[in-house]
Amino acid sequence: MSTDASSLTTQDLEFLQRPLHGFLSVARGPLPPQPRPVWFEATTKGTIQLFTDPESIKVRRLRRDPRASIVVAAPVGERERWLSVAGRTTVEPDGAHDLCARLAARYWDLDDPARADDLAGILATDWVRLVIHPETVNRYTF
């Protein structure tokens, strides 16, 4: 395992460009975090972003305590590899719909009419963008 205090490497960014699920945890005080699978995007600025409902419990928790982490792992059948990014998270009111569209194209076949309809439903809803600003990056490659 290696740790780079606050930045993603080129190899990290290449890994994170794949359509993998991340597991997001937000600070919850004395109780242990409850990770949730999420779609995500690693940006060229070295942040991790995702979208969520502005009324979600994770947004309420992040407004009280902005700490969050995401863990992404290679799927079964590949050599073991994972990446963990932890840091301060901001709740951004803009850019969520564009992010939704990019992520849907990454994770789904939008030529499938059912998936295109799913995306239309998503885009008809209000979302916010969560941005994790890395403070600690841990990685493991076997």
Side-chain angles (χ1 to χ4, degrees):
M1 183 173 82
S2 69
T3 300
D4 182 339
S6 64
S7 61
L8 296 169
T9 66
T10 301
Q11 293 81 15
D12 294 339
L13 291 171
E14 288 171 3
F15 177 63
L16 295 174
Q17 294 304 315
R18 297 174 54 195
L20 301 169
H21 286 101
F23 291 85
L24 177 73
S25 298
V26 299
R28 191 173 175 183
L31 299 175
Q34 303 294 310
R36 299 291 186 260
V38 295
W39 288 356
F40 66 91
E41 178 180 75
T43 71
T44 57
K45 296 178 182 178
T47 60
I48 305 290
Q49 58 183 2
L50 53 131
F51 64 94
T52 193
D53 181 330
E55 303 302 320
S56 68
I57 221 166
K58 68 177 88 54
V59 169
R60 288 194 303 269
R61 288 182 179 145
L62 287 166
R63 290 194 192 284
R64 286 192 306 265
D65 185 337
R67 295 174 298 150
S69 67
I70 188 167
V71 175
V72 179
V76 171
E78 292 186 16
R79 293 190 62 84
E80 289 71 18
R81 180 176 186 181
W82 59 261
L83 183 72
S84 171
V85 178
R88 181 183 55 80
T89 303
T90 56
V91 179
E92 305 292 339
D94 63 328
H97 284 97
D98 290 339
L99 178 61
C100 290
R102 283 195 308 276
L103 291 176
R106 178 174 157 189
Y107 286 88
W108 289 342
D109 174 5
L110 293 176
D111 290 333
D112 177 343
R115 288 302 191 181
D117 286 346
D118 290 341
L119 175 58
I122 289 171
L123 295 176
T125 305
D126 288 329
W127 302 101
V128 293
R129 192 168 46 95
L130 302 181
V131 180
I132 302 174
H133 303 270
E135 294 171 0
T136 304
V137 178
N138 291 298
R139 61 188 63 78
Y140 175 81
T141 304
F142 182 76

